[in-house]
Structure formats: structure tokens, C-alpha cells
Amino acid sequence: MATLRNKRLRLLATAFAWLSGFLALEACLGYGQAVNSCLDCHSALPAPLGVTQEQFSQDIHAQKGLTCTSCHGGDASSYDPTQSMGRKAGFKGKIDRRQIPELCGSCHSNPNLMRQYDPSLRTDQLAEYHTSVHGKRLAAGDTKVAVCIDCHSVHDIRPPSDPRSTVNPVNVATTCSRCHADANYMRPYGIPTDQFAKYNTSVHHDALAVRGDLSAPTCTTCHGNHGAAPPGVGKVQNVCATCHVFQAQMYDKSSHKQAFDAASLPGCVVCHGNHAIAHPTDAKLGSGPGAVCMQCHTPGDNCDQARVVMLGELTQLDGAIKKADYTLAVAEASGMEVSEARLAQNQAQDSLTKARVVIHSFKPELVDEDVQAGLKIANNDLQAGQQAMVERNRRRVGLAISLIAIGMLLAGLWLYIRKIEQ
């Protein structure tokens, strides 16, 4: 009887130990997880009301400790609708589009508050938005224009550095295109809707999306982001100059600047276009497909003559560099030492690049300075390659003579051995 009683006690003690461990584990796993009635309900709803815990956990606001009630008000700790969505709890529910910029700005325009989360984050976004076309039209009652959530998303907002963010540099153009490539949506504004398609063919898109250069221009680089406003005719060259500094300096010295300003033409855009900017080539100075000069000039005028001179010099230098490159490559493949000349070719290529930039001054004498400097280097490198080839041929002749002599010696030895054997 006592043995049976002991067995029961041991069994109860074991069960109690397992139960205590389970409760302790549950307490540990649930520690710090506050009740959120908002997510518990909305995670079971279909879009657009549905917001899952996984989705919201990716939001930068959730990661910083903010909750649903931070924007929508209410009491997320209660499952009683009269309390969780009651007026006493400050419940706002769905935010009207016209109120969104001010709601976001209530935090993002407060330097003292934002410093707690990210000291480097700007706090002038709302002020800039009010100066933008979007902000002005919203203030005038147009609720179709973009507000914060149209670009940044709503419940899964990620920082711009996150590749999944809608405002990551790689994704900005796609985000803008959701409105600006929609012909029906943009029809009331009379704005073209082919910008996104053109941008996808541009050298800027190639640098950003194909080569992965995050510093390459996208929509916000030229048009701004929160202070989005199309650059005026007189500002296009200033926008381009933020990256293309040397080209802008040359353009300021050219006759084109005065002529374009007098005719109210948009500077760089006249020759290069805006959204569909193609990779610049020497052919733009030509007279065939892709040429731009003769769209305005007439054959034989002063500018046409200058164009012919500059194109000829660029073609001459480009050909000299390619000829030297080929000769040096053949010499190097033959085992000759031409590393110094190959390195000097970089300087010749730099001269060509600089000459191609200097054409923005439209002064042949300035282009000639860089071309002549590059030609001197390329010709020296060509001579080095040719001398290496001469030395290669000399070595080959010497090797051939040596092999013939060795062959004759071996033949003589063989004949001598045969004679001894006989």
C-alpha cells in the first residue's frame, strides 16, 4: 500500500514539474508581447483592411516601438469595440487623404522627437511638400495627387536603404510610374505618361538598374522628392550640373548658352533629351542618324565647320588609341614586356574623355589641346608596341637559327655514330 502511494506521489511530482516548466516557457515566450486587438482583428480581414502581424513587423515604425494607435488612436489593449474604437480613446479610424501629410508631419517635423529615433533624419519634409506641385494641388482640394502613403506605403513602410522599400533608388521610378504612367489617371492634368518607358531606355536607368550604381539619377534626383516640382526651363542645366559639373562649366563658356537663353530653350535637354537620355557618342557631332547639330544648323555655316573639325579630331584620337591598343595586345600576348605602355594608354583615354567633354564649349581650339595631348601619348605607345614586335621577330629569327644549328648538330652526331657502328 505504501509502495503504491509513493508511486502516485512521484507521478504527481513529475506532472507538476512538467506543467511548471511549460508555464514558465510560455511566460518567457510571451514576455514583452502586449495585447494588440487591432492586429488580432485586422489580420483576419481581406485587403485593403487586412494587416498581418508579419506585414506590420516589417514596418520601420513598428520596429521603433510605435503601434497602430500611434496614428489611428484608440485602445489596442481592449477587445471591447466601445473602448478600443471609442471616442474617449481618441480613435480616428481611417485617415482622410487630406490629413495624411499633417499626420505624418506631426512626428516627422518635430526635431526633438525624431532625434530619439534617427538623429540624421531630416525634419523639413512637410514644409517641402507644401511647396511642391503635389502639396499645392492637395491644398486646393485635389485628393488625387500623391501624399506620403502613395510613395512610402502604409503599414509596411521600410527605410530607403532597404532594397524592398518603395523609395529605394532602384524602385523610385516604378513608384512614380504608378500614377505618372497611367494615362487615365493623368488625363485631367494633360501630362505625358511616357516618361517611365523612356527612362527605362536611358543611360541613367542602365547605370542604376543594370550596373547597380545607386548614385545614378532617378526621378527624385532631378525632380526632388518631398518638394517635387518639375525643373523650369531656366533650371534644367542647373539640375544636370549637380552631377555633370565639368560639362556645365564648358557649356557656360559656349555660344549655345547665350543662344538657348535668348530663345528660352531648355539647355542640356535640347541636345540630350530628358527622360530618354541615350549614351553620348561622337556620332552626335555627325550628320547621320543620332546627330544633333544639324537639327538647328545649316550645312557650311561656322558652327557646321567647327563641328566637322571637332568630330575629325575625336575620330583621329579614338583611332590612334585603338591602333596602339591592338599592337600592344599582340605584343603582350607574344610574351613581350609592354606594361608601361599599356598603363600610359589610360592617360591617352583620359585625354579623349576630356576632349569629348570639352566639346560642350563648342570651341575647336580647346578640343584640339586635349586631342593633341592624347595623340602624343598614343603614338608613343604605338611605337613602343611596334618596337616590341620588332624585338619579338628578332628573337624568333634567333630562335629559329638556334634550332636549325641544334638540328644540324644532332644530325651530324647521328651520322657519326652510324659511321662508327659500321
Side-chain angles (χ1 to χ4, degrees):
M1 196 71 176
T3 302
L4 181 61
R5 188 182 300 110
N6 291 336
K7 287 183 178 180
R8 289 177 177 176
L9 290 174
R10 284 197 298 270
L11 182 61
L12 288 173
T14 302
F16 180 76
W18 276 100
L19 180 61
S20 299
F22 176 77
L23 293 176
L25 178 62
E26 184 181 27
C28 291
L29 293 175
Y31 180 75
Q33 294 183 0
V35 173
N36 191 332
S37 60
C38 304
L39 280 178
D40 290 343
C41 289
H42 281 270
S43 60
L45 295 176
L49 297 177
V51 181
T52 66
Q53 176 67 50
E54 180 182 2
Q55 181 183 9
F56 186 62
S57 66
Q58 300 294 320
D59 190 285
I60 185 64
H61 295 130
Q63 294 172 5
K64 296 295 183 179
L66 280 72
T67 65
C68 309
T69 59
S70 302
C71 297
H72 294 279
D75 182 4
S77 65
S78 174
Y79 286 96
D80 184 351
T82 61
Q83 296 182 20
S84 60
M85 296 185 291
R87 291 186 178 181
K88 292 183 179 180
F91 182 68
K92 303 173 185 177
K94 182 180 179 181
I95 311 299
D96 187 271
R97 286 182 60 83
R98 292 169 293 185
Q99 300 173 349
I100 287 174
E102 300 299 330
L103 174 63
C104 297
S106 63
C107 290
H108 283 272
S109 295
N110 187 334
N112 293 328
L113 176 63
M114 296 308 298
R115 192 175 293 117
Q116 301 176 33
Y117 300 103
D118 186 353
S120 65
L121 196 64
R122 293 172 54 180
T123 55
D124 60 349
Q125 299 100 324
L126 180 60
E128 282 199 348
Y129 179 78
H130 286 319
T131 67
S132 71
V133 172
H134 295 150
K136 291 177 180 179
R137 294 195 69 90
L138 182 68
D142 184 356
T143 58
K144 290 181 63 178
V145 296
V147 295
C148 313
I149 60 173
D150 296 310
C151 301
H152 291 275
S153 187
V154 188
H155 298 109
D156 57 348
I157 300 175
R158 296 180 172 90
S161 58
D162 190 326
R164 299 169 298 175
S165 170
T166 53
V167 292
N168 180 271
V170 176
N171 303 323
V172 165
T174 302
T175 297
C176 295
S177 73
R178 292 205 297 256
C179 292
H180 284 274
D182 188 330
N184 292 328
Y185 197 84
M186 300 304 296
R187 185 173 290 112
Y189 305 103
I191 298 176
T193 55
D194 59 353
Q195 302 98 323
F196 182 60
K198 287 182 175 180
Y199 175 77
N200 284 338
T201 66
S202 72
V203 65
H204 291 154
H205 173 268
D206 181 67
L208 179 63
V210 179
R211 300 203 305 270
D213 183 0
L214 297 183
S215 67
T218 185
C219 309
T220 55
T221 310
C222 302
H223 293 275
N225 41 28
H226 299 98
V233 168
K235 296 180 180 179
V236 170
Q237 54 265 35
N238 295 334
V239 173
C240 299
T242 58
C243 295
H244 302 285
V245 179
F246 193 26
Q247 289 90 335
Q249 292 174 350
M250 294 293 103
Y251 172 76
D252 287 340
K253 299 178 181 179
S254 73
S255 56
H256 284 138
K257 177 174 171 45
Q258 298 177 0
F260 289 174
D261 288 348
S264 298
L265 293 174
C268 314
V269 174
V270 176
C271 299
H272 293 280
N274 47 16
H275 298 100
I277 299 176
H279 185 77
T281 64
D282 295 343
K284 285 187 174 294
L285 283 172
S287 56
V292 296
C293 297
M294 303 314 294
Q295 294 177 4
C296 299
H297 296 287
T298 56
D301 65 12
N302 292 333
C303 290
D304 181 35
Q305 295 177 24
R307 172 195 68 80
V308 172
V309 172
M310 291 189 293
L311 177 59
E313 292 200 329
L314 292 177
T315 303
Q316 182 185 8
L317 178 55
D318 185 50
I321 292 174
K322 290 178 179 178
K323 185 176 181 180
D325 280 339
Y326 174 78
T327 303
L328 292 171
V330 173
E332 188 175 43
S334 301
M336 304 305 296
E337 173 56 43
V338 291
S339 58
E340 185 175 347
R342 290 297 294 264
L343 184 62
Q345 280 292 90
N346 294 332
Q347 299 178 17
Q349 188 64 49
D350 289 343
S351 294
L352 177 58
T353 301
K354 187 177 178 182
R356 285 169 170 163
V357 172
V358 172
I359 64 171
H360 291 88
S361 69
F362 218 73
K363 295 181 179 180
E365 62 274 14
L366 296 181
V367 176
D368 182 66
E369 291 179 7
D370 293 308
V371 168
Q372 294 304 321
L375 282 173
K376 182 178 180 180
I377 298 172
N379 289 333
N380 289 338
D381 294 341
L382 177 62
Q383 291 179 7
Q386 290 173 340
Q387 291 174 1
M389 295 295 290
V390 171
E391 178 63 23
R392 181 203 67 172
N393 294 337
R394 185 182 297 114
R395 293 180 182 181
R396 286 184 174 181
V397 170
L399 178 62
I401 293 174
S402 299
L403 291 175
I404 292 173
I406 292 172
M408 292 176 64
L409 178 61
L410 292 174
L413 288 173
W414 182 76
L415 292 173
Y416 182 71
I417 293 172
R418 290 290 302 272
K419 182 177 179 180
I420 294 175
E421 290 177 347
Q422 292 175 358

